[in-house]
Amino acid sequence: MKLRDHLRAARQRLREVANPDSTPDLEAELLLAHALDVSRSFLYTHPEQEIPYPRAEAFQALVQRRIRGEPLAYLIGEREFWSLSLQVNPDVLIPRPETELLVEAALERLPQNRSLRVADIGTGSGAIALALARERPHAAVLGTDISPAAVETARGNARRLAIGNATFSLGAWCAPLEGAWDLVVSNPPYVAEDDPHLQRGDLRFEPRGALTPGPDALAAFRAIGAEALERLAPNGWLLFEHGDMQGEDVRDLLASTGYSEVTTRPDLAGRDRVTLGRRPA
Ligand code: GLN
C-alpha cells in the first residue's frame, strides 16, 4: 500500500471516533510521520511511496492506541510549548497552551539582563522553567518535582534544547529551594479528585498527582503559598495557574497567607486563569 492510501485510511478511522478535542486529519499525519521517522512535509512530497510492512504495522498500532484514547503527545513523545519542542511521556503532564499565560505574566515581572533567581514548583516536563530560562538568559531558573521520572524528563529537555540556565531538583514543592528567590511560579495540581473531568480525554492517561491534590482542590495552592512566602525575597512575586472557577478562592488564600498586591489575570476568553501576589517588603 502506498503512503497516500495509509493516510486516507487512518484519517477515516480517526474521524469515526467521536472525541470532541481530536483533530483526525492532523493526527493521522503526525502519527504517520512519527512511524516513518520523516517530517510532515515528506508525506506531501512522497504520496506514492510504498510503506514497508513493519512501518505500516507500527503505524496501525499507533492509530489503534489513539482510537482507544491515548494522548497524541504521548504517542509521538513530543509537544510544543512556547515554541520549544519538549519531550513528554506518561510521567509528566502534557503542557497546555493556556499555561503560556502564566509564562507571560511571569516574564512581565522579570526584567531583562538581571541575575534573578526563579523557581518553578512541580515542573513536570520543565515547560514553564525552560520557557522562562530561554527568555531570560541571565536568570537562574530551578524547577522542582517530587517525581524522579519528571525530573529526568525535564533535565533531558534542558539538555536537548541547550538551555543551560535551567536546573532541576527532586523534592516536594519548595523543599529544594535554598536562599532567597525573586519569583516563584507554579501550575500545581488543582482539579478535585472527584471531578468527572479526570475521566475524560487526555486526562485519563496523565499522572494523577500532576492533576489532583486530592479531595481539597486548593491543597497545593495552600502548601506552596505558605512555603514560598518564607523563601521569596522582599517584593518577590508568586504566580499560580488555577482553574477558571478558583480565582476568588486563590486570591483569598494568598491574601490571608500574607501576600500583598493580589490580583487575577484573565485569559483571552475572560476566564480567571492566573493569580499572583507579592511578598511585602
Ligand atoms: N488545566 C488542566 C486541565 O484541567 C489541569 C492542570 C493542572 O491541574 N495543573 O486540563
Side-chain angles (χ1 to χ4, degrees), residues 32-54:
L32 184 55
H34 179 70
L36 300 180
D37 200 14
V38 298
S39 68
R40 244 175 96 208
S41 57
F42 179 96
L43 306 179
Y44 294 104
T45 50
H46 298 74
E48 302 291 327
Q49 179 123 344
E50 286 293 329
I51 307 300
Y53 177 72

Side-chain angles (χ1 to χ4, degrees), residues 93 96 98 187-191 197 203 210-211 241 273:
L93 191 83
R96 315 280 205 260
E98 60 264 29
N187 172 20
Y190 55 70
V191 181
H197 193 60
L203 281 77
L211 288 165
E241 175 180 312
R273 175 59 62 190

Side-chain angles (χ1 to χ4, degrees), residues 19 28 67 74-75 77 84 90 119 128 169 176 200 215 218 226 246-248 251:
N19 185 341
I67 287 170
Y74 290 157
L75 294 175
L84 302 172
I128 298 166
S169 288
R200 287 204 279 268
L218 301 174
Q246 294 173 321
E248 192 178 345
R251 284 193 298 277

Side-chain angles (χ1 to χ4, degrees), residues 218-231:
L218 301 174
F221 298 125
R222 201 167 285 122
I224 298 167
E227 292 179 19
L229 192 62
E230 295 172 4
R231 291 163 171 90

